[in-house]
Amino acid sequence: MLKLMLSLIVSVVAMLLIGPRVLPVLRRLKFGQSVYELGPKSHQVKQGTPTMGGLMFAAVTCVVALVFHGAWYGFSDFTLALLFVSLASMLVGFVDDYIKVVKKRNLGLIWWQKIIGQVVVAVLFSLYCYLHPDVGSRVIIPFFHVEWDLGVFYVPLMSATMIFMINSANLQDGLDGLLSTVTVVGSTSWAIIALIVSGSGAIAAGLAGNYQNLAIFAMALVGGCIGFLRFNRYPAMVFMGDTGSMFIGGAFVGMAMLMRMPIHMIFVCITLLASSFSVIIQRIYFKVTHGKRIFKMSPIHHHFELCGMTENQIVRMYGIVEAIFCVLAILSI
């Protein structure tokens, strides 16, 4: 418990110290955000705001997770696996951001280039989990305390899930402080779940230690995002960019899969799912009705914005909804 609190506190302090020093560098390098022209008109004032700030909390999360890491478990160590999936996912986002802000190509990576990168990361991590002696092909069903063995379908199903969730996190990052706030709540719940399971006595000592290391990583991410909110809340001084959103997406799905709880993402990642499904529903409805829209704009947080809600009101609403569903996720175990 002490290590968890220290990882949280150190991450927050580190971000508060790093932020004021990194922001001027991002401005000098002209790493400014290119605002989507078809987005809400109120967002045009954000043009040029420094982006790629996700590098800050990603670095803090990884370093703090390693510093407070407990016993090491070699190739089976959950922290090493989380570092891989989070940083590899972030790398795809970093390249996308780099092309946007440095090469001045607004759309960044072509969609198939991004998907190829994500497929490689997803397949490698899914294979790792499938072959891991403490993970395997079985997933836990929430509330029913039973397991579902996906067998040979585990790798393709989990790979598809990873790609979907990482892109869902990317879609969620559309308002100042939105994804950062949701991440604080969601990652806290992953830490609590990992602690409950590790202390249940139903698993081996080595696996319990792995769960505790996962909880440390989760709290380091919480602290990093709390500190980042100092600069990312409305009106944002810096955006996390695809660099940060894909790091978060990779971290969330990584924690879920290592704990054999990908189905629990229905609760812990409820707002991320809402963003993706609102886009899917909007596009299907648009095609079926030959040009009509069910939402004023998607993802759905922009719909709420165009309905008159302020960015802060939407962030608070999302945070509350996320907290309610995270409590359900915790109760489900």
Side-chain angles (χ1 to χ4, degrees), residues 187-205:
S187 196
T188 299
S189 72
W190 285 132
I192 293 171
I193 290 171
L195 280 181
I196 292 173
V197 176
S198 70
S200 65
I203 59 177

Side-chain angles (χ1 to χ4, degrees), residues 73-92:
Y73 302 98
F75 185 72
S76 299
D77 195 278
F78 280 5
T79 299
L80 294 180
L82 283 171
L83 291 177
F84 165 75
V85 69
S86 302
L87 293 175
S89 300
M90 184 190 77
L91 180 60
V92 177

Side-chain angles (χ1 to χ4, degrees), residues 38-97:
L38 298 180
K41 299 300 181 184
S42 60
H43 287 208
Q44 295 303 314
V45 297
K46 302 179 182 183
Q47 186 79 24
T49 301
T51 188
M52 299 173 73
L55 287 169
M56 292 187 287
F57 66 74
V60 167
T61 299
C62 294
V63 171
V64 171
L66 289 172
V67 168
F68 292 103
H69 188 281
W72 289 94
Y73 302 98
F75 185 72
S76 299
D77 195 278
F78 280 5
T79 299
L80 294 180
L82 283 171
L83 291 177
F84 165 75
V85 69
S86 302
L87 293 175
S89 300
M90 184 190 77
L91 180 60
V92 177
F94 175 82
V95 173
D96 194 41
D97 280 337

Side-chain angles (χ1 to χ4, degrees), residues 277-312:
F277 282 116
S278 67
V279 172
I280 294 170
I281 292 169
Q282 181 87 318
R283 289 182 178 177
I284 293 174
Y285 189 80
F286 185 85
K287 290 183 178 180
V288 170
T289 60
H290 305 289
K292 294 183 180 179
R293 291 177 171 82
I294 193 168
F295 304 116
K296 293 184 177 181
M297 186 176 289
S298 64
I300 196 170
H301 49 257
H302 291 317
H303 170 80
F304 295 130
E305 193 176 8
L306 294 179
C307 285
M309 294 181 69
T310 66
E311 291 193 43
N312 284 334

Side-chain angles (χ1 to χ4, degrees), residues 3-303:
K3 284 188 176 182
L4 257 69
M5 296 307 300
L6 286 174
S7 64
L8 172 66
I9 295 169
V10 171
S11 293
V12 173
V13 173
M15 273 302 308
L16 294 177
L17 293 175
I18 291 172
R21 291 161 177 78
V22 173
L23 286 182
V25 175
L26 294 176
R27 293 192 188 98
R28 282 199 301 272
L29 293 174
K30 298 182 179 179
F31 281 7
Q33 175 76 24
S34 296
V35 176
Y36 186 45
E37 292 180 359
L38 298 180
K41 299 300 181 184
S42 60
H43 287 208
Q44 295 303 314
V45 297
K46 302 179 182 183
Q47 186 79 24
T49 301
T51 188
M52 299 173 73
L55 287 169
M56 292 187 287
F57 66 74
V60 167
T61 299
C62 294
V63 171
V64 171
L66 289 172
V67 168
F68 292 103
H69 188 281
W72 289 94
Y73 302 98
F75 185 72
S76 299
D77 195 278
F78 280 5
T79 299
L80 294 180
L82 283 171
L83 291 177
F84 165 75
V85 69
S86 302
L87 293 175
S89 300
M90 184 190 77
L91 180 60
V92 177
F94 175 82
V95 173
D96 194 41
D97 280 337
Y98 183 84
I99 292 173
K100 290 176 185 175
V101 302
V102 177
K103 300 297 183 181
K104 305 301 180 184
R105 199 172 81 194
N106 286 346
L107 295 179
L109 287 172
I110 301 172
W111 70 268
W112 59 264
Q113 294 173 325
K114 187 181 295 186
I115 290 296
I116 288 175
Q118 292 176 342
V119 165
V120 171
V121 176
V123 171
L124 288 175
F125 187 72
S126 296
L127 280 171
Y128 171 86
C129 291
Y130 181 74
L131 298 172
H132 195 293
D134 295 319
V135 183
S137 60
R138 293 177 299 173
V139 299
I140 298 171
I141 307 297
F143 294 106
F144 292 97
H145 307 291
V146 296
E147 297 177 349
W148 179 19
D149 193 343
L150 299 176
V152 295
F153 297 103
Y154 179 88
V155 173
L157 286 174
M158 288 302 101
S159 295
T161 299
M162 282 189 66
I163 294 169
F164 183 78
M165 293 309 305
I166 290 170
N167 285 302
S168 295
N170 192 26
L171 285 173
Q172 183 91 105
D173 185 34
L175 299 179
D176 295 359
L178 181 57
L179 183 55
S180 302
T181 299
V182 167
T183 301
V184 168
V185 180
S187 196
T188 299
S189 72
W190 285 132
I192 293 171
I193 290 171
L195 280 181
I196 292 173
V197 176
S198 70
S200 65
I203 59 177
L207 182 55
N210 245 335
Y211 272 66
Q212 290 163 10
N213 287 334
L214 186 150
I216 290 171
F217 179 95
M219 291 308 292
L221 179 57
V222 171
C225 286
I226 290 175
F228 185 67
L229 273 169
R230 166 67 180 82
F231 314 101
N232 183 235
R233 69 180 185 225
Y234 183 85
M237 293 182 279
V238 64
F239 300 136
M240 67 173 66
D242 289 3
T243 302
S245 64
M246 291 190 182
F247 177 87
I248 290 170
F252 266 43
V253 76
M255 288 186 281
M257 287 173 62
L258 288 170
M259 290 191 290
R260 300 188 294 122
M261 297 181 181
I263 300 177
H264 287 69
M265 287 191 290
I266 293 173
F267 304 106
V268 178
C269 303
I270 184 65
T271 61
L272 276 64
L273 293 172
S275 292
S276 281
F277 282 116
S278 67
V279 172
I280 294 170
I281 292 169
Q282 181 87 318
R283 289 182 178 177
I284 293 174
Y285 189 80
F286 185 85
K287 290 183 178 180
V288 170
T289 60
H290 305 289
K292 294 183 180 179
R293 291 177 171 82
I294 193 168
F295 304 116
K296 293 184 177 181
M297 186 176 289
S298 64
I300 196 170
H301 49 257
H302 291 317
H303 170 80

